[in-house]
Amino acid sequence: MASLAKLPVPDLHDTVARFAEAARPLFSADEFETCLAKLNDFVATQGPTLQARLHQRSAEHANWLEDWWNEYAYFLNRSSVCFNVNYFFGFRDTPQPMAQARLAAALIDSAVRFRSQLESDSLELDNIRGKPMCMYQYQYMFATCRHPGEQRDWTEVYPRSESTHIAVAHKGRYFVLRVPAASTNRHADIAQIERQLQIIIDTTAQLERGKSIGVLTAALRDDWYAARECLLQVSSDNAASLRVLESSAFLVSLESVAPVTHKEFSLACHCSDGTDRYFDKNFQILVFANGRYGFNGEHSLTDATTDMRLCNVLVHDVETVAAEAQVTTAGDVAEGAPATFEELHFDYNDELLGHIQRAIEYFDATVAAHELSTLVFDSFGKEQIKKMKVSPDAFVQMAMQLAYYRQFRHVPATYESA
């Protein structure tokens, strides 16, 4: 994407004018005059020097903002990524019901094929109304994992040679699934994956929650850092298992719950009980026992707009498979085909079990402190909003802020980077 223009440095006077315009509704007349005086003083004193530094930084970096954004918005943030950073999608039901293993297999096959297109440069370029968009973030879509640090987090990108496998979570346990290269027979590929997943579903015993590794990734980052260091020190097997888990292309969660209502579905995609997840993974595909499915993404190096393209492909491919009358089933796979998966094992000591217990207490208390409700609004959509010459995103943001103001009678601090 070197042909695209670099992120420009906004003009100082334009920045100040935009700030004043945004701040005006929040101040009284006297307060706003004080604000303007401070802005004018900034333009006359510190502003030009800082603006020159920005231009110098822009000349030395491909993107003058990116490192600062990642550092201060994400990596220095010590809050839980599960509750404060990650985003989730809940997808519509398939046109025909699909069993959990088959649905998960179709999703894995779709994601693997998408990755192959991406890495072979055969994926069509992103564009909006014919204008090419930067696809820099796509390099972090697969085979990446965020790690907790003592003071700041960081993200590791694993080479293709180490990341061809898929991590599977089920009943509190983790498995490594090794998927053969995609063939021209998609249904046969799906059937082979389905067979492996069905064995996992049929034979896995529930792991007690007090030994859950996944719930640690939902803890506050300082707590997760301490727990992860402890986990690594308990045994070399732990270090090896964690490396395999974190280097996977992505994670698939085979959930035992079966959410029905919008509220149940949203909460299940958001966090569930924290056990069949690894919230530091680049993304997690969530497949529930009743054939519903969703997506949970770690936000630091990719935005939801990037992962949305993958999600659109996942939904399209799964719905295509579900709607086709003639499909290959797991029973059609040749007898003796290897079940190419294995469970990842972890060892525990009292200190590690203590970390897990604290993480569970934090998780449960945080879920209990939140109220989640859902609203299905179908009176009109984005096309009608666009006719009013308003951004659909801005429209929804203003609607939420207006609702908050009507309820609590004050304007809250808000965050919406888009």
Side-chain angles (χ1 to χ4, degrees), residues 115-264:
R115 184 188 187 187
S116 295
Q117 284 187 290
L118 177 63
E119 294 179 344
S120 64
D121 291 329
S122 59
L123 197 66
E124 184 179 348
L125 298 181
D126 279 345
N127 71 86
I128 296 181
R129 292 184 290 276
K131 295 183 178 180
M133 302 297 293
C134 180
M135 297 178 67
Y136 178 82
Q137 290 187 351
Y138 279 74
Q139 66 183 305
Y140 304 118
M141 181 178 283
F142 292 92
T144 62
C145 190
R146 180 169 173 163
H147 298 308
E150 187 172 11
Q151 296 181 329
R152 66 178 295 278
D153 287 4
W154 55 288
T155 294
E156 186 167 3
V157 182
Y158 298 88
R160 171 78 187 196
S161 59
E162 194 182 354
S163 61
T164 57
H165 59 286
I166 316 300
V168 176
H170 183 57
K171 292 186 177 180
R173 303 176 187 272
Y174 294 111
F175 302 84
V176 54
L177 175 68
R178 304 196 183 279
V179 179
S183 73
T184 56
N185 188 338
R186 165 166 267 170
H187 292 301
D189 291 349
I190 292 173
Q192 185 176 9
I193 299 170
E194 178 187 358
R195 183 186 185 190
Q196 299 164 16
L197 296 179
Q198 193 62 57
I199 295 172
I200 293 174
I201 293 171
D202 292 342
T203 62
T204 301
Q206 180 69 52
L207 182 70
E208 58 186 281
R209 196 176 182 214
K211 290 187 175 181
S212 168
I213 301 300
V215 75
L216 291 171
T217 66
L220 297 173
R221 301 307 286 178
D222 289 342
D223 292 341
W224 172 214
Y225 168 75
R228 188 172 184 274
E229 290 298 298
C230 175
L231 176 69
L232 293 171
Q233 293 169 9
V234 168
S235 72
S236 58
D237 287 345
N238 281 5
S241 291
L242 200 63
R243 179 75 183 184
V244 172
L245 173 60
E246 294 179 336
S247 65
S248 59
F250 54 90
L251 183 141
V252 173
S253 173
L254 298 174
E255 297 273 355
S256 299
V257 298
V260 176
T261 67
H262 291 299
K263 180 177 180 178
E264 291 171 347

Side-chain angles (χ1 to χ4, degrees), residues 22-23 29 38 76 88 159 298 373 399:
K38 292 182 178 180
L76 289 174
F88 66 89
E298 199 283 309
S373 61

Side-chain angles (χ1 to χ4, degrees), residues 18-57:
R18 287 174 178 269
F19 180 88
E21 181 182 5
R24 182 188 292 272
L26 305 179
F27 292 135
S28 67
D30 290 343
E31 289 171 336
F32 186 63
E33 287 301 318
T34 300
C35 175
L36 286 180
K38 292 182 178 180
L39 288 174
N40 290 333
D41 178 70
F42 176 76
V43 171
T45 56
Q46 294 176 304
T49 300
L50 295 176
Q51 186 76 359
R53 292 178 183 176
L54 279 183
H55 280 290
Q56 179 62 34
R57 181 177 175 84

